[in-house]
Amino acid sequence: MQLIMDHCLANYWLNCNVMVQTAQVDIVVYSYYPFTEDHCQKAIPVQINRFDGHRMINEPMFPDKLRQLHGCPLTLLTWNVPPFVYLNFDHETNQLMASGFEIQLMEQLADWMNFSIVIKNLTLENNVSSYKLVNGSNEGPMEMIINQLTNFSVGYFRKTTRRVRLMTTPLTHYYTPLVATVNLDNYRFGSLAILTFPFDWSVWLILLWSLILHIFIYLCRWRSASHEVLEILLGGSLARLPRQWAHRAIYAHWIYASIPLRICYQSLLFHLIRLQLFGSVPSSFEQLLDDKFHALCTSMTLQTLQEMPQVAGRYESFHGMATVYDQNVLDELDHCKHDQRKGKVFAITSQEVTRFHLRDSNRLDDYVILNRYVNIQQLSIFMPKHSYFYEKINEAIRRFDANGFLAAMRRAAFDSNERKKEKDQRRRYIDNGQLMGIYKLMIAMYSLAAIILGIELLLRRLQGHNCLRNSESYPPIKNKKPTN
């Protein structure tokens, strides 16, 4: 019976009962509880039922053996993948501390089922094909789970067809989007673009037609002064005032119409130079591919993307890196920014990993994450095949999701980064409040120029009166006839 129970435990046959008939013709049913107060993950035969001649004494036939795990330690295989899993070594207690969204989920499961978590840190080299560990072992996460060296595995573990076939996966607890990230330097404005950016093309066309119209009027009626229209538009002064009132009205109209435009244009230009804004970025990764960009991603991500029709026709534009970490892909994208020989590239990584890694490395302002997702991937807790924790984990995830606990844990792990993103977007948005200081400066400068102009006109008028008064104080000189 002990050999039978050990075989059931090794193969995760939880409802494994042995029925025995004694010499007294009693029928006794034996089974095992893998977690009790006295032992953990052991198969010790215990009697769970007996036939009294009419019926079985205890109900049900298969009792719940995982409701209470009595604090037994269960191994959790994971690695550092913020914000899903944070791993930090506490030197004071000499213990590995774990936090993050998926760690919070496992802690809730541990509280509900009363077991303790033993963290097994897994660090991989950049060799996806063999999953070789840093310590030299060839057993990667999948091999450890398949060989029952761990009870659970979390840490941005995505569902794939091969993984689902080889391991047990309960319900999906999070759907992570794959996003495209591109360097903003590819869309930096040049000198000419900055000069033309403050106004839309419709405004520039209206100004161009107005300028042509004014020049045409002066060419038809006053050819010698046609260049003065352009001087007024640029803020220059007139050499002399026209004599005709019609021309003066046209000058005044052009001056008063161009002053507000110059104020707005110069204010926006100063603001753009200060903020170093960039051009519009495509909304999807297909548009990036149309612009001759190349995509960087992990080999595992590339295997997932191969099933997409948009990728199948442009497979030569994708490059799968020999790494399991999206952080390495983002670091390679930053390296390509300084290496012009690699051309224009963008990265396809997890949205949460991208935001946290760029924020922690102070590079969030240098990149833009496209709004349209590339794909949606499912995250799950992975266990050995036919693990008897499958039903309990599914039940727990359903309860947590129905009661809002999963959403609360996601907010606690992700909202800090979302608030910072919204703050950055508000800082990039141009409104009149941000331009008010430049508006006041320009208005003060134009007011000062108007005061100086008024003083000059007044002095000119006074100087004219003085000259006229001096000419009236002297008698007129009569012209003498010339003598032979």
Side-chain angles (χ1 to χ4, degrees):
M1 189 184 300
Q2 184 65 57
L3 293 176
I4 294 174
M5 297 300 176
D6 290 338
H7 180 78
C8 293
L9 178 65
N11 291 275
Y12 292 103
W13 295 348
L14 186 62
N15 294 319
C16 181
N17 297 343
V18 177
M19 187 177 296
V20 179
Q21 186 174 5
T22 65
Q24 291 78 19
V25 197
D26 291 334
I27 298 177
V28 184
V29 180
Y30 290 87
S31 184
Y32 75 98
Y33 287 85
F35 304 96
T36 65
E37 295 180 359
D38 300 326
H39 61 262
C40 296
Q41 298 193 79
K42 290 184 179 181
I44 299 178
V46 295
Q47 180 181 332
I48 63 170
N49 218 332
R50 185 173 64 85
F51 186 73
D52 61 356
H54 300 282
R55 61 181 179 84
M56 290 292 179
I57 296 176
N58 298 325
E59 294 289 346
M61 178 65 72
F62 303 105
D64 187 358
K65 301 177 181 180
L66 299 177
R67 183 180 300 276
Q68 168 64 271
L69 302 189
H70 301 280
C72 288
L74 298 182
T75 304
L76 176 63
L77 179 67
T78 187
W79 48 89
N80 188 62
V81 188
F84 300 102
V85 175
Y86 289 94
L87 293 181
N88 295 302
F89 187 79
D90 191 352
H91 295 280
E92 296 181 357
T93 60
N94 292 327
Q95 292 182 351
L96 184 65
M97 308 301 294
S99 61
F101 166 58
E102 293 190 292
I103 296 298
Q104 292 181 19
L105 175 60
M106 293 304 303
E107 290 175 349
Q108 292 294 328
L109 291 172
D111 292 339
W112 185 57
M113 299 173 63
N114 191 19
F115 65 85
S116 59
I117 299 176
V118 177
I119 300 294
K120 179 179 287 188
N121 184 14
L122 178 66
T123 304
L124 298 175
E125 288 184 345
N126 295 337
N127 189 353
V128 182
S129 59
S130 63
Y131 284 108
K132 187 176 181 180
L133 301 180
V134 173
N135 58 11
S137 174
N138 290 324
E139 287 189 341
M142 290 184 60
E143 289 78 9
M144 289 185 176
I145 298 173
I146 293 173
N147 296 331
Q148 301 183 13
L149 299 178
T150 182
N151 299 106
F152 309 103
S153 178
V154 297
Y156 188 47
F157 220 128
R158 297 170 287 181
K159 278 188 176 181
T160 62
T161 304
R162 180 170 178 265
R163 288 175 175 176
V164 172
R165 186 176 66 253
L166 297 176
M167 296 174 286
T168 297
T169 58
L171 295 175
T172 298
H173 59 266
Y174 186 67
Y175 293 86
T176 176
L178 287 176
V179 295
T181 305
V182 63
N183 194 334
L184 278 175
D185 285 341
N186 296 305
Y187 299 93
R188 187 182 297 275
F189 282 131
S191 301
L192 181 60
I194 290 179
L195 293 176
T196 58
F197 182 78
F199 289 154
D200 295 333
W201 284 111
S202 58
V203 178
W204 287 115
L205 289 176
I206 292 174
L207 290 175
L208 179 61
W209 282 109
S210 300
L211 179 62
I212 293 175
L213 179 62
H214 281 74
I215 293 177
F216 179 75
I217 293 174
Y218 278 88
L219 287 176
C220 294
R221 303 184 59 183
W222 197 7
R223 296 178 181 273
S224 61
S226 59
H227 63 279
E228 293 182 352
V229 178
L230 203 50
E231 293 179 0
I232 295 175
L233 178 63
L234 299 176
S237 59
L238 292 176
R240 58 188 179 86
L241 193 64
R243 295 183 180 181
Q244 298 183 12
W245 285 101
H247 293 166
R248 293 185 180 183
I250 294 176
Y251 272 136
H253 165 265
W254 191 241
I255 290 175
Y256 289 120
S258 62
I259 286 178
L261 287 174
R262 286 203 302 270
I263 293 177
C264 295
Y265 176 78
Q266 293 173 355
S267 301
L268 285 171
L269 187 62
F270 293 155
H271 190 72
L272 293 176
I273 294 174
R274 183 178 68 88
L275 284 185
Q276 296 183 356
L277 296 184
F278 301 87
S280 58
V281 180
S283 59
S284 64
F285 79 101
E286 293 92 347
Q287 295 178 3
L288 289 175
L289 295 177
D290 293 337
D291 293 339
K292 307 302 180 183
F293 276 81
H294 290 269
L296 294 176
C297 59
T298 64
S299 298
M300 181 65 66
T301 301
L302 184 57
Q303 294 177 7
T304 304
L305 296 178
Q306 287 176 357
E307 302 176 1
M308 298 177 59
Q310 303 94 317
V311 177
R314 302 178 176 180
Y315 189 75
E316 68 281 355
S317 299
F318 290 81
H319 175 67
M321 295 180 56
T323 180
V324 295
Y325 300 107
D326 285 344
Q327 295 92 328
N328 294 338
V329 177
L330 296 171
D331 292 338
E332 179 64 21
L333 178 64
D334 187 70
H335 178 70
C336 293
K337 177 179 66 174
H338 307 289
D339 191 354
Q340 300 297 331
R341 295 174 298 177
K342 296 186 178 182
K344 299 188 297 184
V345 295
F346 69 97
I348 298 180
T349 50
S350 169
Q351 177 179 258
E352 291 77 18
V353 174
T354 301
R355 290 177 178 173
F356 273 79
H357 184 65
L358 293 180
R359 185 199 65 182
D360 293 341
S361 58
N362 296 322
R363 292 179 291 176
L364 193 60
D365 293 336
D366 299 332
Y367 295 87
V368 60
I369 302 174
L370 303 192
N371 295 326
R372 189 177 301 177
Y373 297 154
V374 177
N375 200 348
I376 301 293
Q377 295 191 327
Q378 304 178 31
L379 299 190
S380 183
I381 301 171
F382 280 77
M383 299 172 288
K385 198 67 175 177
H386 309 299
S387 173
Y388 42 61
F389 292 109
Y390 173 75
E391 294 292 341
K392 300 297 290 186
I393 298 297
N394 272 347
E395 181 184 355
I397 291 178
R398 287 193 186 98
R399 289 190 177 186
F400 293 159
D401 191 23
N403 294 313
F405 286 109
L406 286 179
M409 287 185 282
R410 284 196 296 267
R411 287 195 299 268
F414 301 153
D415 276 4
S416 59
N417 189 59
E418 292 294 333
R419 287 193 293 267
K420 188 176 187 300
K421 180 186 176 184
E422 293 176 359
K423 182 179 179 181
D424 293 337
Q425 288 180 345
R426 288 196 299 268
R427 186 183 63 184
R428 288 176 175 272
Y429 184 74
I430 301 175
D431 55 12
N432 288 327
Q434 292 176 316
L435 297 176
M436 192 57 65
I438 302 178
Y439 284 153
K440 292 179 180 179
L441 176 63
M442 298 301 298
I443 291 174
M445 293 175 63
Y446 277 105
S447 300
L448 180 61
I451 293 173
I452 295 175
L453 177 62
I455 294 175
E456 289 179 348
L457 293 176
L458 180 61
L459 293 176
R460 181 67 176 271
R461 181 66 61 91
L462 293 176
Q463 184 179 2
H465 285 299
N466 291 334
C467 292
L468 181 61
R469 190 176 302 167
N470 292 333
S471 64
E472 291 177 352
S473 61
Y474 294 98
I477 300 175
K478 296 181 180 180
N479 293 331
K480 297 183 179 180
K481 295 181 180 180
T483 55
N484 297 329

